[in-house]
Amino acid sequence: MDLSHLNPQQYQAVTSTKGPILVLAGAGSGKTRVIIQRISWLIQVEQVLPAAILAVTFTNKAAREMQERLKDELRGRQKGVQLSTFHSLGVQLLREHIDQLGYRSNFVIYDTQDQQSVIKGIMEDHDLEDSGLIDAKGVHYEIGQAKNRGLGPDHFLQQRDSTRKTQVGQVFTEYQRVLKGCNAIDFDDILLLTLKLFEEYSEAMDPLRERYHYLMVDEYQDTNRVQYQLMCHLCQRHRNLCVVGDDDQSIYGWRGADIRNILDFERDFPEAKIIRLEQNYRSTPTILKAANQVISQNPQRMPKELWSQKPTGVPLEWIEGKDEAEELELVARQIKIQVLRHGRSHSDYAILFRSNFQSRLIEETLRDSGIPYQIIGSTSFYERKEVKDALAYLRVIHNHSDEVSLHRIINYPRRGIGKTSLIQANYYCQLLRKPLFEICKQARQHSRIPTEAAMSMESFAQMILRYQQRFQQETLGEVLRDLLSDVGLIYDLETQKIDPKTKEKRVGFVMELMRGLDRFVEQNPEKHLRDYLERVMLFTQNDREEELVSNQVTLMTLHSAKGLEFPFVFLVGMAEGVFPNQRSLDESGEEEERRLCYVGITRAREELTMSMARRRKRYREEVSQTMSRFLSDIDSSLFKVAPGAKMDMGQKALQKKQSRADFFQQLRRLQ
C-alpha cells in the first residue's frame, strides 16, 4: 500500500491504529483522505475484517462521499465496512432491539410538522393553548434542546418556581406518552432510545460492542452529549477509537454540539495519542496567517497553527462603505471587474454573511448589478413567512381581489376571525357571487357570520381601505411602519414563545423589508406601491429562474459555509454588533463567534476580501458602526489597504479612475 502522498502527520494518523486517538484536523488539512486511507490500511495491511470497522459521520452526503472514495480505493474489498451517520446507526439498532423498550420494530419516525401537530393537540386538550406562556413551536424547540443534552420531562417539572417550565414538562410528558401509543419516535429519540438500550439492557448490546473492533468518528467537534455517550459504549470493549475533528471549527453550540467532548478527550481517555494535522492544502499562507491570528485569541482551544507550502498569495482586501448599500455596491463592482479582467467564473465567488437578514440587500444589489447568484442553506429573503405575511398586506391593499393574500392575513395576527366564520363568509361569496373582501365590508348584514367575527371583518376591511388611501398620498416606508404597527405583526413576532435567536431573526427580516422599501423610495421617488410590488414579484420570479444557472455567485451564512471552499471569498458586515453578533455575545460569549470567523476566513483558497459599512440603518435611525474586533487581531501588513486606513482624496480619485478604466477597457474587448 503506497502512502508516499501523505505528509508525516497524515501518515502517523493512518498507521496509528491501537487505542484512543484524537486527530486534530485543521481546516483544509485533508481529513477525509486520512479517514479513507486509515480504513484501507486496516483492511489491507493489518488484515482487519471490514465488518469490524465502523465509521460515523454527521450527514448522509458525507457518508456517501466516503463510501464512493473507499470503493475507488479498495475496489470491492471494502464490503462489510459500515459507514453511517449517528442517526442511521441508531435506527438500525432500534429495529433490532426496540422491543426491549416497549415499542414494536415497525415504529415510525415523526418529522417536525408531525411533532408540532402532536404538541398542539396536547395543548388544546389540556387548555394550555391560550395560557400565553407557551406555544407549540416553542415547546417543540425546548423538547429538542433537552433531548440533545440527554434530559427528559423531569428536567422541566423539577423547576417548580417557573410555571412556564412546569407546563413545558407536562406537555413533554404527555408528548412522549402519545408517541409511544402511536408506536412512533421523533428524530432526537433515535439517539436517546439507542443510548437507553446500552444503559438499561447492557447484555443485549454486548454483541454490538464485540462486533466493532475499530470505531472512527468524523467531525467530532460537532457531537452532543448523547452522541458522546453512545460512542463511549461502542468502543468500551476494544478501545480502538479514532476521532477526527477541529475544536477551532466548533460552531454549532446553539444546536446542541458540546465542544467539551473534544477539549476533554485527553482527560476522558488518558492513554490517548494526539496527532495534529496542521499542513493546509487549500489556502495561501497570507490567508492562513489571518486565520491563525484570529483563532489564537481563544483561550479554550487545543494549540495548533495552520501552514501551507503554497506561494504567499496576494494581500487581503478591505472594503469600507459609507453605508450598507455602498458597501455591497463596492463588493458587486469588484466582482464584475474581476470577472471581466481575469475571465473568471461567477461560481468562483462566495459572499458570506453572519445573519440571514443581511441577505435581502445582498440579493438586491447583485440583481441590480446583473450578477447571477444562488442562495445556499437559507430561504430567499422574499420567500420567508414573516416577509410574505407583510407583503400580503400590501398586496391586498393594492388589489382587494387577491384572495390568496387575503386568506393569509385575514386572521393574522389573530383578530377573532376563525375557520367557522370564514366558512360562513365563503358561503355568502358563493351565494352572492361577491369576492371575500366585499363580504367583509358588510359582514354584519349576513346572519350566518357570528356577530363578533363580523365586526372584526368590517374593522379589517375599513383598515385596508384606510391604508389604501394613505399609500396613495404618503411616503411608502412610513405608511408600512404604521400598518404593521396597527395590525400588530411586529408585536406578534416579538411576543412569540420561541427561542430568542429565531425571534430576533424574524423581527429582523421584517425590519429589513421596511429598510428595503425606504431604499426603493429613495431611488425611485416617483414610484408607487404598485411599482414596488411589481419589482418584488419580478425579483422572486427571476430568482427562481436563476437557480437553473450554474455560473452563479454563492451567497450563504457562515454556518452554511462550513465544509466548503471557494477561490474568492467576501466576508461582508465585519462590524461590531453584526459580526460578532450581539445576541450571541450576550448568550454564549465571544469564543464561538471567533471560531465562526475562523471558519469564514478558511473558506478562501486564493483571495479574501472583508468589508463593512460605517453607518447602518437600525429601525428608524441610522447608527455609526465600528470595525469588528476580529479585524484588530489581524496584522495590518496582511492587507493591501489596512482596515480603517485613511486614503487622501488624490488616492481615492486615482483608484476610482483606474478601476473604471480597467472595467470599460475589458468591456470594449468583449464587444
Side-chain angles (χ1 to χ4, degrees), residues 185-415:
I185 63 177
D186 65 23
F187 196 70
D188 297 311
D189 281 334
I190 295 172
L191 299 184
L192 273 176
L193 293 177
T194 303
L195 180 60
K196 192 173 183 179
L197 284 172
F198 277 102
E199 292 178 344
E200 298 183 9
Y201 301 92
S202 184
E203 289 186 9
M205 295 294 103
D206 277 344
L208 194 69
R209 294 188 182 97
E210 187 61 44
R211 183 189 310 173
Y212 297 120
H213 290 226
Y214 294 88
L215 171 62
M216 278 175 275
V217 181
D218 189 20
E219 302 289 359
Y220 186 60
Q221 77 281 345
D222 295 335
T223 54
N224 60 32
R225 295 310 288 180
V226 175
Q227 290 162 334
Y228 166 80
Q229 290 172 290
L230 278 173
M231 180 197 74
C232 290
H233 281 290
L234 285 166
C235 72
Q236 189 179 69
R237 185 65 51 84
H238 300 285
R239 304 284 288 180
N240 295 323
L241 169 67
C242 177
V243 300
V244 183
D246 183 7
D247 56 305
D248 291 335
Q249 296 187 75
S250 179
I251 59 173
Y252 297 123
W254 53 275
R255 211 165 62 184
D258 195 335
I259 195 172
R260 292 178 301 170
N261 293 348
I262 192 167
L263 294 180
D264 295 343
F265 190 82
E266 289 179 277
R267 185 200 68 186
D268 298 336
F269 300 91
E271 74 274 36
K273 179 184 291 185
I274 312 298
I275 302 170
R276 289 172 169 82
L277 304 185
E278 297 172 295
Q279 183 174 356
N280 177 283
Y281 295 91
R282 175 188 301 160
S283 307
T284 67
T286 297
I287 292 169
L288 295 180
K289 282 181 183 178
N292 288 330
Q293 288 171 2
V294 169
I295 200 62
S296 65
Q297 301 302 312
N298 268 2
Q300 295 188 78
R301 65 184 293 264
M302 304 188 74
K304 71 188 81 64
E305 186 166 333
L306 296 181
W307 61 276
S308 175
Q309 291 182 334
K310 287 186 171 185
T312 302
V314 301
L316 308 183
E317 292 276 359
W318 173 250
I319 291 175
E320 193 170 324
K322 65 180 181 182
D323 54 26
E324 292 170 290
E326 186 179 80
E327 174 196 359
L328 295 170
E329 285 166 4
L330 291 170
V331 167
R333 189 162 171 269
Q334 187 161 317
I335 292 173
K336 291 191 76 169
I337 290 172
Q338 290 183 8
V339 168
L340 285 170
R341 182 184 294 168
H342 304 293
R344 295 170 179 169
S345 169
H346 285 107
S347 57
D348 291 337
Y349 292 85
I351 300 176
L352 310 183
F353 45 92
R354 174 61 180 85
S355 302
N356 277 314
F357 76 84
Q358 296 170 265
S359 68
R360 192 272 308 167
L361 190 53
I362 301 173
E363 285 188 70
E364 288 191 358
T365 304
L366 294 186
R367 179 180 177 272
D368 291 344
S369 301
I371 298 174
Y373 69 89
Q374 59 180 337
I375 298 181
I376 305 298
S378 66
T379 306
S380 177
F381 179 83
Y382 291 110
E383 294 298 317
R384 298 186 178 278
K385 179 187 179 303
E386 48 278 350
V387 174
K388 294 180 75 170
D389 289 336
L391 288 172
Y393 275 96
L394 299 184
R395 292 191 174 109
V396 172
I397 289 169
H398 175 62
N399 178 8
H400 303 160
S401 299
D402 184 351
E403 295 205 3
V404 171
S405 295
L406 181 56
H407 275 92
R408 185 180 186 99
I409 62 170
I410 194 168
N411 198 42
Y412 178 73
R414 292 185 179 182
R415 52 177 62 89

Side-chain angles (χ1 to χ4, degrees), residues 18-31:
K18 301 301 181 184
I21 297 166
L22 168 60
V23 180
L24 284 171
S29 62
K31 70 176 180 67

